[in-house]
Amino acid sequence: CPMSTPISDALDEAFGKGDVLLTRNGQKKTLSIIYVSSDKTLQEFTEYTRKRHWLPIPYESPEKNQLKRHFATCAHRELEELQFDRKHEIPTGIVIESRTQGIITTNGADDVEEMGAGALEHWLKMQGWASQMANSIAHGNDGSSEKE
């Protein structure tokens, strides 16, 4: 998809090295890229994914449309078939914390475009802030610094 190619290239530049995502010093990153296709044909899907170092959801998989519905993200031409109110157009990068499956951001594509590999550190900071807020709420503190 021409709209997605610039973001795909930015993801590859920032995170793609062979079949394993690596940091600059060669250690494994705490990141996996899952590709949920809106390609029109299996041939488009195959051509697009063969040059990427991502984990693609298989083209014919029912999970592909389930994920699109769950995250309300798809190409405009898919709306009639999928029948949901779209929140995000493509390309969209949704960053998910693997342990909790909580969404860190739905602006991952913009982050990569703006920050390159620095987006990972940004997402890790966001994850840390979310964890701190959750812990604070769990312990009865709403996070405000106001004193009575």
Side-chain angles (χ1 to χ4, degrees):
C1 169
M3 289 175 46
S4 298
T5 299
I7 293 301
S8 298
D9 291 345
L11 281 166
D12 282 344
E13 177 68 27
F15 303 115
K17 300 243 193 229
D19 292 330
V20 178
L21 298 173
L22 302 174
T23 63
R24 288 186 191 154
N25 63 1
Q27 295 178 337
K28 288 185 182 180
K29 284 190 184 269
T30 55
L31 174 74
S32 292
I33 299 171
I34 310 298
Y35 179 66
V36 181
S37 168
S38 286
D39 294 306
K40 293 177 186 172
T41 67
L42 178 58
Q43 182 179 350
E44 284 181 5
F45 171 83
T46 302
E47 287 176 18
Y48 200 77
T49 57
R50 108 182 116 83
K51 61 184 173 185
R52 307 286 177 200
H53 303 289
W54 308 342
L55 304 171
I57 301 295
Y59 183 78
E60 298 291 338
S61 173
E63 284 83 10
K64 180 175 79 168
N65 287 342
Q66 291 171 356
L67 286 165
K68 290 177 182 186
R69 283 186 186 96
H70 180 78
F71 293 108
T73 304
C74 69
H76 186 268
R77 65 177 168 68
E78 297 174 297
L79 284 172
E80 187 175 322
E81 175 191 345
L82 296 173
Q83 298 182 357
F84 64 81
D85 292 329
R86 181 173 66 165
K87 292 182 184 176
H88 311 286
E89 296 183 20
I90 60 169
T92 295
I94 300 173
V95 181
I96 301 169
E97 205 283 329
S98 62
R99 194 173 28 82
T100 66
Q101 288 81 47
I103 295 174
I104 295 173
T105 183
T106 57
N107 295 320
D110 294 336
D111 293 344
V112 170
E113 191 171 50
E114 293 172 21
M115 298 177 234
L120 179 61
E121 288 305 316
H122 174 68
W123 300 330
L124 290 171
K125 285 180 187 174
M126 291 176 73
Q127 177 186 7
W129 298 331
S131 294
Q132 287 175 350
M133 183 60 78
N135 287 337
S136 181
I137 291 169
H139 291 96
N141 180 354
D142 66 3
S144 67
S145 58
E146 215 174 286
K147 297 198 180 203
E148 296 180 25

